[in-house]
Amino acid sequence: MFEQLGLIGCGLMGGSFALALKRAGLVRRVVGYSKSPSTTARALQLGVIDVEAPSALLAVSGADLVLLAVPVAATETTLKAIRHLVSPDMLIMDVGSSKRDVVDAARRVLKHDVGVFVPCHPITGREVSGVENADAGLYAGRQVILTPIERTLTTKLDQAVALWRALGCEVVTMSPEAHDAAFAAVSHLPHLLAFALMNSITGQPEGKDYLSMAGPGFRDFSRIAAADPQMWRDVLIANREELARQTEQFQLALAEFQHLIVNGQADELERLINRASHARANWRVSPGAR
Amino acid sequence: MFEQLGLIGCGLMGGSFALALKRAGLVRRVVGYSKSPSTTARALQLGVIDVEAPSALLAVSGADLVLLAVPVAATETTLKAIRHLVSPDMLIMDVGSSKRDVVDAARRVLKHDVGVFVPCHPITGREVSGVENADAGLYAGRQVILTPIERTLTTKLDQAVALWRALGCEVVTMSPEAHDAAFAAVSHLPHLLAFALMNSITGQPEGKDYLSMAGPGFRDFSRIAAADPQMWRDVLIANREELARQTEQFQLALAEFQHLIVNGQADELERLINRASHARANWRVSPGAR
């Protein structure tokens, strides 16, 4: 049980975390801050937070749990804003989709206090954003990746693990580097491809007509293209090196397909599709299959 | 009401069509043929067809409605096999995802009888195939694209329109060329990208680990990668010219993203993602939004 959650960023991820914690009876009071005062006001109105803070620093004042739920590029500025109230009694976590940049920012700003910061990435999200869509069930049944560094305090890590488990999550621990490599492949690149496909189609004169004929396959494939632009801008830039590596791998795989298609090599093409189809048919969303 | 459906190909699409027709009380008898005798036997067992035909020709014997539900590259061979029993009293349709190649095959084989053939593409499907997954509801609420040519008989076209509407479909008519251009963009390219992504990931030594961390975004994006390899082999080759054109457009859109990511141009990148995100958020699967 936490006394006070200092919530910095009252959007979909932050708002849902506050609601989940409340529903699980794990927090007594949520003090929230958002860059936009109207978001903070709305969060209060919706019962997502109990108290509006006029600054990130004041949201942290008196908190034993702090969640940074801001676009990853805002991590450093946010940590600088709260650093004077960071104390050893506090657990600080984030929910960013890239981890090396977040960890580097935490090291730079928190210095000897960096041990209270546990970098987290809950594998969840929705194609809508904003506190209006906050959902107490957003985290339940999902994986959360924790990427502690050498200086992360074991007590803080244990506390974070227990907290996420209490919300119904499966916790996995790995290095920030391993995290960023994996998510470049299974999340950042798919988002990039979905964004590029949407812009490719809408950029054509007949794009609107084409879209009017798209079916359920397109619906599912393109769903992630509706993701939050600000959040994804930061993630794609933060993890650009691993993303470039994955894009290159993808281009090679695509070129292999194109070669067979252009040459009408049906048997080889079927084998290639078969490999993809089998891999996908045998995959299950984590943690169900584990 | 049709006396006899001659069903050639008793897989997911053909089997579901037979079940839908039966449920709607639109057919008295279904005579089915599949290349694999075990599939035909299974279709009989499951009540999808009423009579097993030992050849495509015998499935057509006595039929006033014929559905070709075979991979598109098998269209020509199939039409050749049945051509001696094609009569002016008959409506022949297909369900192929590419249309220019199908129409060309019909012209070549059926010659002066080509008017009884109405080329159809129902915008539906599932990530599983086979008669075991046949579903009477697969077509209801979906769009069906009809691509008649000059020689298509108006009476046959009207009959086809009425039939699909009776199954709960929204019917749209266009040229085979317009169809193939649109579906290269909203279906064939997304399938190709999903196949390539799966193979790109599984081709890496850490691919399995990466996949174990993938979440709901990946699940939806990659769902179409589990599609039927034989069917998609044919579609990608049949529509390779339009597909190449769409792949090129996509590569340009992707390169624009990559340029901004590599250079860390956050504002421009956000604008680009914003365009994609808005387009996707405002899109609804047809025909709901129409």
Side-chain angles (χ1 to χ4, degrees), chain A residues 174 199 204 211-214 219-223 225-227 229 233 240 246-247 251 258 262 266 270 272 274 276-277 280 283 286, chain B residues 174 199 204 211-214 219-220 222-223 225-227 229 233 240 246-247 251 258 262 264 270 272 274 276-277 280 283 286:
Chain A
M174 66 183 65
N199 285 1
Q204 298 176 46
L211 285 176
S212 75
M213 283 174 262
R219 175 195 61 209
D220 292 352
F221 180 90
S222 65
R223 185 181 66 82
R233 169 200 73 186
R240 59 184 138 184
Q246 286 301 327
T247 307
Q251 295 281 18
Q258 288 178 291
V262 167
E270 186 181 341
L272 223 53
N274 209 36
S277 181
R280 180 52 180 79
W283 174 84
S286 56
Chain B
M174 66 183 65
N199 285 1
Q204 299 176 46
L211 285 176
S212 76
M213 283 174 262
R219 176 194 61 208
D220 292 352
S222 65
R223 186 181 66 82
R233 170 200 72 185
R240 58 184 138 183
Q246 286 301 326
T247 308
Q251 294 280 19
Q258 286 177 292
V262 166
E270 185 180 343
L272 223 52
N274 210 34
S277 180
R280 180 53 181 78
W283 175 85
S286 55

Short mmCIF file of all heavy atoms in Angstrom, two decimals, chain A residues 174 199 204 211-214 219-223 225-227 229 233 240 246-247 251 258 262 266 270 272 274 276-277 280 283 286, chain B residues 174 199 204 211-214 219-220 222-223 225-227 229 233 240 246-247 251 258 262 264 270 272 274 276-277 280 283 286:
data_model
loop_
_atom_site.label_atom_id
_atom_site.label_comp_id
_atom_site.label_asym_id
_atom_site.label_seq_id
_atom_site.Cartn_x
_atom_site.Cartn_y
_atom_site.Cartn_z
N MET A 174 15.16 -7.48 -17.93
CA MET A 174 16.27 -7.60 -18.89
C MET A 174 17.04 -6.29 -18.91
O MET A 174 16.64 -5.32 -18.27
CB MET A 174 15.73 -7.94 -20.28
CG MET A 174 14.90 -6.85 -20.91
SD MET A 174 14.22 -7.36 -22.51
CE MET A 174 13.13 -8.67 -21.97
N ASN A 199 0.43 6.83 -44.86
CA ASN A 199 0.82 8.03 -45.61
C ASN A 199 1.02 7.72 -47.09
O ASN A 199 0.73 8.56 -47.95
CB ASN A 199 2.07 8.65 -45.01
CG ASN A 199 1.76 9.39 -43.72
OD1 ASN A 199 0.61 9.41 -43.28
ND2 ASN A 199 2.77 9.98 -43.11
N GLN A 204 -1.73 9.27 -52.32
CA GLN A 204 -2.07 9.02 -53.72
C GLN A 204 -3.44 9.65 -54.04
O GLN A 204 -4.33 9.65 -53.19
CB GLN A 204 -2.12 7.51 -54.00
CG GLN A 204 -0.77 6.83 -53.77
CD GLN A 204 -0.84 5.32 -53.96
OE1 GLN A 204 -1.41 4.81 -54.91
NE2 GLN A 204 -0.24 4.59 -53.02
N LEU A 211 -9.08 3.37 -49.70
CA LEU A 211 -9.38 3.11 -48.29
C LEU A 211 -10.83 2.70 -48.07
O LEU A 211 -11.14 1.95 -47.15
CB LEU A 211 -9.05 4.35 -47.44
CG LEU A 211 -7.56 4.59 -47.20
CD1 LEU A 211 -7.35 5.89 -46.44
CD2 LEU A 211 -6.93 3.43 -46.43
N SER A 212 -11.72 3.21 -48.96
CA SER A 212 -13.14 2.87 -48.79
C SER A 212 -13.39 1.39 -49.07
O SER A 212 -14.45 0.87 -48.74
CB SER A 212 -14.01 3.73 -49.70
OG SER A 212 -13.91 3.27 -51.04
N MET A 213 -12.43 0.73 -49.70
CA MET A 213 -12.61 -0.69 -50.01
C MET A 213 -11.85 -1.60 -49.06
O MET A 213 -11.96 -2.83 -49.16
CB MET A 213 -12.13 -0.96 -51.44
CG MET A 213 -13.13 -0.51 -52.47
SD MET A 213 -12.43 -0.68 -54.13
CE MET A 213 -11.88 0.99 -54.42
N ALA A 214 -11.08 -1.03 -48.17
CA ALA A 214 -10.26 -1.86 -47.28
C ALA A 214 -11.13 -2.66 -46.32
O ALA A 214 -12.18 -2.19 -45.88
CB ALA A 214 -9.29 -0.97 -46.51
N ARG A 219 -7.86 -3.32 -41.43
CA ARG A 219 -8.24 -2.74 -40.14
C ARG A 219 -7.26 -3.14 -39.04
O ARG A 219 -6.74 -2.29 -38.31
CB ARG A 219 -9.65 -3.20 -39.76
CG ARG A 219 -10.09 -2.74 -38.37
CD ARG A 219 -11.32 -3.51 -37.90
NE ARG A 219 -11.01 -4.93 -37.82
CZ ARG A 219 -11.89 -5.91 -38.00
NH1 ARG A 219 -13.14 -5.64 -38.25
NH2 ARG A 219 -11.52 -7.17 -37.91
N ASP A 220 -6.97 -4.44 -38.97
CA ASP A 220 -6.09 -4.92 -37.91
C ASP A 220 -4.64 -4.49 -38.15
O ASP A 220 -3.95 -4.05 -37.23
CB ASP A 220 -6.17 -6.44 -37.81
CG ASP A 220 -7.53 -6.88 -37.30
OD1 ASP A 220 -8.32 -6.01 -36.90
OD2 ASP A 220 -7.80 -8.09 -37.30
N PHE A 221 -4.20 -4.63 -39.40
CA PHE A 221 -2.82 -4.29 -39.75
C PHE A 221 -2.51 -2.83 -39.42
O PHE A 221 -1.43 -2.50 -38.94
CB PHE A 221 -2.61 -4.55 -41.24
CG PHE A 221 -1.22 -4.26 -41.74
CD1 PHE A 221 -0.24 -5.23 -41.73
CD2 PHE A 221 -0.90 -3.01 -42.25
CE1 PHE A 221 1.04 -4.97 -42.20
CE2 PHE A 221 0.38 -2.73 -42.72
CZ PHE A 221 1.35 -3.71 -42.69
N SER A 222 -3.47 -1.96 -39.70
CA SER A 222 -3.20 -0.52 -39.59
C SER A 222 -3.62 0.08 -38.26
O SER A 222 -3.40 1.27 -38.03
CB SER A 222 -3.94 0.22 -40.73
OG SER A 222 -5.33 0.08 -40.57
N ARG A 223 -4.19 -0.73 -37.37
CA ARG A 223 -4.70 -0.18 -36.11
C ARG A 223 -3.64 0.65 -35.38
O ARG A 223 -3.92 1.76 -34.92
CB ARG A 223 -5.20 -1.30 -35.19
CG ARG A 223 -5.86 -0.78 -33.92
CD ARG A 223 -6.34 -1.90 -33.00
NE ARG A 223 -5.28 -2.71 -32.45
CZ ARG A 223 -4.54 -2.38 -31.37
NH1 ARG A 223 -4.77 -1.24 -30.74
NH2 ARG A 223 -3.57 -3.17 -30.94
N ALA A 225 -1.37 2.41 -36.44
CA ALA A 225 -1.05 3.70 -37.08
C ALA A 225 -1.80 4.84 -36.40
O ALA A 225 -1.40 6.00 -36.54
CB ALA A 225 -1.38 3.66 -38.57
N ALA A 226 -2.85 4.54 -35.68
CA ALA A 226 -3.62 5.59 -35.00
C ALA A 226 -3.02 5.97 -33.65
O ALA A 226 -3.59 6.75 -32.90
CB ALA A 226 -5.07 5.14 -34.82
N ALA A 227 -1.84 5.45 -33.35
CA ALA A 227 -1.21 5.69 -32.05
C ALA A 227 -0.87 7.17 -31.85
O ALA A 227 -0.87 7.96 -32.79
CB ALA A 227 0.05 4.83 -31.92
N PRO A 229 0.86 10.47 -31.75
CA PRO A 229 2.00 10.97 -32.53
C PRO A 229 3.17 11.47 -31.68
O PRO A 229 4.33 11.22 -32.01
CB PRO A 229 1.39 12.13 -33.34
CG PRO A 229 -0.05 11.79 -33.45
CD PRO A 229 -0.40 11.13 -32.14
N ARG A 233 6.74 9.76 -31.89
CA ARG A 233 7.84 10.60 -32.36
C ARG A 233 9.06 10.36 -31.47
O ARG A 233 10.16 10.07 -31.95
CB ARG A 233 7.39 12.07 -32.27
CG ARG A 233 8.46 13.10 -32.45
CD ARG A 233 8.02 14.44 -31.87
NE ARG A 233 8.05 14.38 -30.40
CZ ARG A 233 7.62 15.34 -29.60
NH1 ARG A 233 7.06 16.41 -30.11
NH2 ARG A 233 7.71 15.22 -28.29
N ARG A 240 16.47 5.00 -32.41
CA ARG A 240 16.72 5.02 -33.86
C ARG A 240 17.78 4.04 -34.33
O ARG A 240 17.72 3.54 -35.45
CB ARG A 240 17.04 6.43 -34.34
CG ARG A 240 18.24 7.07 -33.68
CD ARG A 240 18.38 8.51 -34.19
NE ARG A 240 18.72 9.41 -33.10
CZ ARG A 240 18.83 10.73 -33.22
NH1 ARG A 240 18.63 11.29 -34.39
NH2 ARG A 240 19.14 11.48 -32.19
N GLN A 246 16.76 -2.95 -37.52
CA GLN A 246 15.59 -3.78 -37.82
C GLN A 246 14.99 -3.44 -39.18
O GLN A 246 14.50 -4.31 -39.89
CB GLN A 246 14.54 -3.65 -36.72
CG GLN A 246 14.91 -4.36 -35.43
CD GLN A 246 15.13 -5.86 -35.62
OE1 GLN A 246 14.49 -6.51 -36.46
NE2 GLN A 246 16.05 -6.42 -34.86
N THR A 247 15.00 -2.16 -39.51
CA THR A 247 14.46 -1.75 -40.82
C THR A 247 15.30 -2.38 -41.93
O THR A 247 14.76 -2.83 -42.94
CB THR A 247 14.46 -0.22 -40.94
OG1 THR A 247 13.78 0.34 -39.80
CG2 THR A 247 13.73 0.23 -42.20
N GLN A 251 14.00 -4.83 -44.79
CA GLN A 251 14.16 -4.53 -46.22
C GLN A 251 14.74 -5.72 -46.97
O GLN A 251 14.36 -6.00 -48.11
CB GLN A 251 15.07 -3.30 -46.41
CG GLN A 251 14.48 -1.99 -45.86
CD GLN A 251 13.45 -1.36 -46.78
OE1 GLN A 251 12.91 -2.01 -47.66
NE2 GLN A 251 13.16 -0.08 -46.57
N GLN A 258 10.07 -9.71 -53.05
CA GLN A 258 9.88 -8.98 -54.31
C GLN A 258 10.54 -9.70 -55.48
O GLN A 258 9.98 -9.78 -56.57
CB GLN A 258 10.43 -7.56 -54.19
CG GLN A 258 9.56 -6.67 -53.30
CD GLN A 258 10.17 -5.29 -53.16
OE1 GLN A 258 11.20 -5.13 -52.52
NE2 GLN A 258 9.53 -4.30 -53.75
N VAL A 262 8.36 -10.81 -58.70
CA VAL A 262 8.65 -10.26 -60.02
C VAL A 262 8.96 -11.37 -61.01
O VAL A 262 8.54 -11.33 -62.18
CB VAL A 262 9.82 -9.25 -59.94
CG1 VAL A 262 10.35 -8.91 -61.32
CG2 VAL A 262 9.37 -7.99 -59.22
N ALA A 266 6.70 -19.21 -58.18
CA ALA A 266 5.58 -19.56 -57.30
C ALA A 266 5.97 -20.50 -56.16
O ALA A 266 5.60 -20.26 -55.01
CB ALA A 266 4.45 -20.17 -58.12
N GLU A 270 5.79 -19.51 -52.30
CA GLU A 270 4.91 -20.22 -51.35
C GLU A 270 5.70 -20.67 -50.12
O GLU A 270 5.20 -20.58 -48.99
CB GLU A 270 4.24 -21.42 -52.03
CG GLU A 270 3.21 -22.08 -51.12
CD GLU A 270 2.53 -23.29 -51.75
OE1 GLU A 270 2.58 -23.41 -53.00
OE2 GLU A 270 1.95 -24.08 -50.99
N LEU A 272 8.28 -19.26 -48.83
CA LEU A 272 8.57 -18.07 -48.02
C LEU A 272 7.34 -17.62 -47.23
O LEU A 272 7.43 -17.27 -46.05
CB LEU A 272 9.03 -16.95 -48.96
CG LEU A 272 10.22 -16.10 -48.54
CD1 LEU A 272 11.41 -16.96 -48.18
CD2 LEU A 272 10.60 -15.13 -49.66
N ASN A 274 4.87 -19.50 -46.48
CA ASN A 274 4.60 -20.58 -45.55
C ASN A 274 5.38 -20.42 -44.24
O ASN A 274 4.85 -20.64 -43.16
CB ASN A 274 4.98 -21.90 -46.22
CG ASN A 274 4.14 -23.04 -45.71
OD1 ASN A 274 2.95 -22.86 -45.42
ND2 ASN A 274 4.74 -24.20 -45.56
N ALA A 276 6.42 -17.59 -42.97
CA ALA A 276 5.80 -16.48 -42.24
C ALA A 276 4.48 -16.91 -41.62
O ALA A 276 4.20 -16.63 -40.45
CB ALA A 276 5.57 -15.30 -43.18
N SER A 277 3.69 -17.62 -42.40
CA SER A 277 2.36 -18.02 -41.95
C SER A 277 2.45 -18.97 -40.76
O SER A 277 1.71 -18.83 -39.78
CB SER A 277 1.62 -18.67 -43.12
OG SER A 277 0.32 -19.06 -42.72
N ARG A 280 3.60 -17.10 -37.62
CA ARG A 280 2.53 -16.28 -37.03
C ARG A 280 1.44 -17.13 -36.40
O ARG A 280 0.91 -16.81 -35.33
CB ARG A 280 1.93 -15.35 -38.09
CG ARG A 280 0.81 -14.46 -37.57
CD ARG A 280 1.23 -13.69 -36.32
NE ARG A 280 0.17 -12.85 -35.81
CZ ARG A 280 -0.84 -13.30 -35.07
NH1 ARG A 280 -0.92 -14.58 -34.77
NH2 ARG A 280 -1.76 -12.45 -34.64
N TRP A 283 2.39 -18.34 -33.00
CA TRP A 283 2.71 -17.31 -32.01
C TRP A 283 1.46 -16.94 -31.22
O TRP A 283 0.36 -16.90 -31.77
CB TRP A 283 3.27 -16.08 -32.71
CG TRP A 283 3.51 -14.92 -31.79
CD1 TRP A 283 4.60 -14.70 -31.01
CD2 TRP A 283 2.61 -13.83 -31.54
NE1 TRP A 283 4.45 -13.54 -30.31
CE2 TRP A 283 3.23 -12.99 -30.60
CE3 TRP A 283 1.34 -13.49 -32.01
CZ2 TRP A 283 2.64 -11.83 -30.14
CZ3 TRP A 283 0.74 -12.34 -31.53
CH2 TRP A 283 1.39 -11.51 -30.61
N SER A 286 1.96 -12.59 -25.63
CA SER A 286 2.41 -12.86 -24.28
C SER A 286 1.44 -12.20 -23.30
O SER A 286 0.85 -11.20 -23.63
CB SER A 286 3.81 -12.30 -24.10
OG SER A 286 3.80 -10.92 -24.43
N MET B 174 -16.91 -2.28 -60.15
CA MET B 174 -15.84 -1.47 -60.76
C MET B 174 -15.12 -2.31 -61.80
O MET B 174 -15.40 -3.51 -61.96
CB MET B 174 -14.87 -1.00 -59.69
CG MET B 174 -14.07 -2.09 -59.02
SD MET B 174 -13.01 -1.46 -57.70
CE MET B 174 -14.25 -0.89 -56.55
N ASN B 199 9.21 -12.97 -41.36
CA ASN B 199 10.44 -13.65 -41.77
C ASN B 199 11.69 -12.89 -41.34
O ASN B 199 12.71 -13.49 -41.01
CB ASN B 199 10.44 -13.87 -43.29
CG ASN B 199 9.51 -15.01 -43.67
OD1 ASN B 199 8.87 -15.61 -42.81
ND2 ASN B 199 9.42 -15.31 -44.96
N GLN B 204 16.30 -13.85 -37.45
CA GLN B 204 17.36 -13.38 -36.56
C GLN B 204 17.57 -14.36 -35.42
O GLN B 204 16.61 -14.95 -34.94
CB GLN B 204 17.00 -11.99 -36.01
CG GLN B 204 16.85 -10.93 -37.10
CD GLN B 204 16.41 -9.58 -36.55
OE1 GLN B 204 16.94 -9.09 -35.57
NE2 GLN B 204 15.43 -8.96 -37.20
N LEU B 211 9.93 -12.30 -30.22
CA LEU B 211 8.50 -12.58 -30.38
C LEU B 211 7.81 -12.85 -29.05
O LEU B 211 6.62 -12.58 -28.90
CB LEU B 211 8.30 -13.78 -31.32
CG LEU B 211 8.52 -13.48 -32.81
CD1 LEU B 211 8.39 -14.76 -33.63
CD2 LEU B 211 7.52 -12.43 -33.30
N SER B 212 8.57 -13.40 -28.09
CA SER B 212 7.95 -13.70 -26.79
C SER B 212 7.57 -12.43 -26.05
O SER B 212 6.81 -12.47 -25.09
CB SER B 212 8.90 -14.55 -25.94
OG SER B 212 9.93 -13.74 -25.40
N MET B 213 8.11 -11.30 -26.49
CA MET B 213 7.79 -10.03 -25.83
C MET B 213 6.75 -9.20 -26.58
O MET B 213 6.34 -8.16 -26.11
CB MET B 213 9.06 -9.20 -25.67
CG MET B 213 9.92 -9.69 -24.53
SD MET B 213 11.49 -8.80 -24.51
CE MET B 213 12.55 -9.95 -25.35
N ALA B 214 6.37 -9.66 -27.74
CA ALA B 214 5.45 -8.87 -28.56
C ALA B 214 4.07 -8.78 -27.91
O ALA B 214 3.62 -9.72 -27.25
CB ALA B 214 5.34 -9.48 -29.95
N ARG B 219 0.25 -8.28 -32.38
CA ARG B 219 -0.77 -9.31 -32.66
C ARG B 219 -1.67 -8.88 -33.82
O ARG B 219 -1.86 -9.63 -34.78
CB ARG B 219 -1.64 -9.55 -31.42
CG ARG B 219 -2.78 -10.53 -31.66
CD ARG B 219 -3.79 -10.47 -30.52
NE ARG B 219 -4.35 -9.12 -30.44
CZ ARG B 219 -4.81 -8.54 -29.33
NH1 ARG B 219 -4.78 -9.20 -28.20
NH2 ARG B 219 -5.30 -7.33 -29.36
N ASP B 220 -2.18 -7.66 -33.74
CA ASP B 220 -3.10 -7.18 -34.78
C ASP B 220 -2.38 -6.92 -36.09
O ASP B 220 -2.86 -7.29 -37.16
CB ASP B 220 -3.81 -5.91 -34.31
CG ASP B 220 -4.76 -6.22 -33.16
OD1 ASP B 220 -4.96 -7.41 -32.86
OD2 ASP B 220 -5.29 -5.27 -32.56
N SER B 222 0.26 -8.25 -37.29
CA SER B 222 0.79 -9.44 -37.97
C SER B 222 -0.26 -10.50 -38.25
O SER B 222 0.05 -11.52 -38.86
CB SER B 222 1.91 -10.05 -37.12
OG SER B 222 1.39 -10.54 -35.89
N ARG B 223 -1.49 -10.27 -37.82
CA ARG B 223 -2.52 -11.30 -37.98
C ARG B 223 -2.60 -11.82 -39.42
O ARG B 223 -2.65 -13.02 -39.67
CB ARG B 223 -3.90 -10.77 -37.55
CG ARG B 223 -4.98 -11.85 -37.55
CD ARG B 223 -6.35 -11.31 -37.14
NE ARG B 223 -6.90 -10.35 -38.08
CZ ARG B 223 -7.55 -10.68 -39.20
NH1 ARG B 223 -7.72 -11.95 -39.54
NH2 ARG B 223 -8.04 -9.75 -40.01
N ALA B 225 -0.43 -12.17 -41.55
CA ALA B 225 0.71 -13.00 -41.97
C ALA B 225 0.38 -14.48 -41.88
O ALA B 225 1.04 -15.30 -42.51
CB ALA B 225 1.95 -12.68 -41.14
N ALA B 226 -0.64 -14.84 -41.11
CA ALA B 226 -1.01 -16.26 -40.96
C ALA B 226 -1.92 -16.73 -42.09
O ALA B 226 -2.42 -17.85 -42.07
CB ALA B 226 -1.69 -16.47 -39.60
N ALA B 227 -2.11 -15.90 -43.09
CA ALA B 227 -3.02 -16.24 -44.19
C ALA B 227 -2.54 -17.45 -44.99
O ALA B 227 -1.39 -17.87 -44.87
CB ALA B 227 -3.19 -15.03 -45.11
N PRO B 229 -0.92 -19.68 -47.50
CA PRO B 229 0.24 -19.45 -48.38
C PRO B 229 -0.05 -19.67 -49.86
O PRO B 229 0.42 -18.90 -50.70
CB PRO B 229 1.27 -20.47 -47.88
CG PRO B 229 0.89 -20.72 -46.46
CD PRO B 229 -0.61 -20.65 -46.44
N ARG B 233 0.31 -16.72 -52.49
CA ARG B 233 1.32 -16.89 -53.53
C ARG B 233 0.71 -16.46 -54.87
O ARG B 233 1.28 -15.64 -55.60
CB ARG B 233 1.69 -18.38 -53.57
CG ARG B 233 2.53 -18.81 -54.73
CD ARG B 233 2.42 -20.32 -54.94
NE ARG B 233 1.11 -20.66 -55.48
CZ ARG B 233 0.68 -21.90 -55.68
NH1 ARG B 233 1.43 -22.93 -55.33
NH2 ARG B 233 -0.51 -22.13 -56.20
N ARG B 240 1.20 -8.59 -59.59
CA ARG B 240 2.56 -8.10 -59.30
C ARG B 240 2.84 -6.69 -59.81
O ARG B 240 3.62 -5.97 -59.19
CB ARG B 240 3.61 -9.07 -59.82
CG ARG B 240 3.55 -9.36 -61.30
CD ARG B 240 4.59 -10.43 -61.68
NE ARG B 240 4.04 -11.38 -62.61
CZ ARG B 240 4.71 -12.45 -63.06
NH1 ARG B 240 5.93 -12.69 -62.63
NH2 ARG B 240 4.16 -13.27 -63.91
N GLN B 246 2.69 -0.07 -55.78
CA GLN B 246 2.35 0.29 -54.40
C GLN B 246 3.56 0.13 -53.47
O GLN B 246 3.73 0.91 -52.53
CB GLN B 246 1.19 -0.56 -53.89
CG GLN B 246 -0.16 -0.15 -54.49
CD GLN B 246 -0.51 1.29 -54.20
OE1 GLN B 246 -0.19 1.82 -53.13
NE2 GLN B 246 -1.19 1.95 -55.13
N THR B 247 4.37 -0.89 -53.72
CA THR B 247 5.56 -1.08 -52.89
C THR B 247 6.50 0.10 -53.05
O THR B 247 7.10 0.58 -52.08
CB THR B 247 6.27 -2.40 -53.27
OG1 THR B 247 5.32 -3.47 -53.24
CG2 THR B 247 7.40 -2.71 -52.29
N GLN B 251 7.78 2.57 -50.19
CA GLN B 251 9.21 2.75 -49.90
C GLN B 251 9.54 4.24 -49.81
O GLN B 251 10.37 4.66 -48.99
CB GLN B 251 10.07 2.09 -50.98
CG GLN B 251 9.96 0.56 -51.02
CD GLN B 251 10.79 -0.14 -49.95
OE1 GLN B 251 11.19 0.49 -48.96
NE2 GLN B 251 11.02 -1.43 -50.12
N GLN B 258 12.30 7.62 -42.34
CA GLN B 258 13.66 7.27 -41.91
C GLN B 258 14.58 8.48 -41.88
O GLN B 258 15.39 8.63 -40.98
CB GLN B 258 14.22 6.21 -42.86
CG GLN B 258 13.60 4.83 -42.64
CD GLN B 258 14.14 3.83 -43.64
OE1 GLN B 258 13.87 3.92 -44.83
NE2 GLN B 258 14.90 2.88 -43.16
N VAL B 262 16.49 9.51 -38.47
CA VAL B 262 17.95 9.51 -38.41
C VAL B 262 18.48 10.88 -38.02
O VAL B 262 19.42 11.00 -37.24
CB VAL B 262 18.55 9.06 -39.77
CG1 VAL B 262 20.03 9.37 -39.85
CG2 VAL B 262 18.29 7.57 -39.98
N GLY B 264 16.84 13.08 -36.31
CA GLY B 264 16.22 13.56 -35.08
C GLY B 264 15.33 14.77 -35.28
O GLY B 264 15.19 15.59 -34.37
N GLU B 270 6.78 14.32 -36.04
CA GLU B 270 5.46 14.31 -35.40
C GLU B 270 4.37 14.67 -36.41
O GLU B 270 3.29 14.07 -36.41
CB GLU B 270 5.43 15.29 -34.21
CG GLU B 270 4.12 15.21 -33.45
CD GLU B 270 4.04 16.17 -32.27
OE1 GLU B 270 5.10 16.66 -31.84
OE2 GLU B 270 2.92 16.42 -31.79
N LEU B 272 4.39 14.08 -39.56
CA LEU B 272 4.21 12.93 -40.46
C LEU B 272 3.39 11.82 -39.78
O LEU B 272 2.50 11.23 -40.38
CB LEU B 272 5.59 12.38 -40.84
CG LEU B 272 5.83 11.99 -42.29
CD1 LEU B 272 5.46 13.11 -43.24
CD2 LEU B 272 7.30 11.61 -42.50
N ASN B 274 1.40 12.30 -37.32
CA ASN B 274 0.09 12.87 -37.10
C ASN B 274 -0.82 12.65 -38.31
O ASN B 274 -2.00 12.34 -38.17
CB ASN B 274 0.24 14.37 -36.84
CG ASN B 274 -0.85 14.88 -35.94
OD1 ASN B 274 -1.32 14.16 -35.05
ND2 ASN B 274 -1.30 16.09 -36.19
N ALA B 276 -0.62 10.24 -40.50
CA ALA B 276 -0.98 8.81 -40.53
C ALA B 276 -2.01 8.49 -39.46
O ALA B 276 -3.01 7.80 -39.71
CB ALA B 276 0.27 7.95 -40.32
N SER B 277 -1.78 9.03 -38.28
CA SER B 277 -2.64 8.73 -37.14
C SER B 277 -4.06 9.26 -37.37
O SER B 277 -5.05 8.57 -37.09
CB SER B 277 -2.04 9.34 -35.87
OG SER B 277 -2.84 9.06 -34.76
N ARG B 280 -5.85 7.18 -40.05
CA ARG B 280 -6.30 5.89 -39.55
C ARG B 280 -7.45 6.04 -38.56
O ARG B 280 -8.40 5.25 -38.57
CB ARG B 280 -5.15 5.13 -38.89
CG ARG B 280 -5.53 3.77 -38.35
CD ARG B 280 -6.21 2.92 -39.40
NE ARG B 280 -6.60 1.61 -38.88
CZ ARG B 280 -7.66 1.39 -38.12
NH1 ARG B 280 -8.47 2.38 -37.78
NH2 ARG B 280 -7.94 0.16 -37.71
N TRP B 283 -10.71 6.51 -40.30
CA TRP B 283 -11.12 5.46 -41.22
C TRP B 283 -11.96 4.42 -40.48
O TRP B 283 -11.72 4.13 -39.33
CB TRP B 283 -9.88 4.79 -41.83
CG TRP B 283 -10.20 3.61 -42.69
CD1 TRP B 283 -10.54 3.62 -44.01
CD2 TRP B 283 -10.22 2.23 -42.30
NE1 TRP B 283 -10.76 2.34 -44.46
CE2 TRP B 283 -10.57 1.47 -43.43
CE3 TRP B 283 -9.97 1.56 -41.10
CZ2 TRP B 283 -10.69 0.09 -43.41
CZ3 TRP B 283 -10.08 0.18 -41.06
CH2 TRP B 283 -10.44 -0.54 -42.21
N SER B 286 -15.12 -0.78 -44.17
CA SER B 286 -16.32 -0.75 -44.99
C SER B 286 -17.16 -1.99 -44.68
O SER B 286 -16.64 -3.00 -44.29
CB SER B 286 -15.91 -0.75 -46.46
OG SER B 286 -15.07 -1.87 -46.70
#
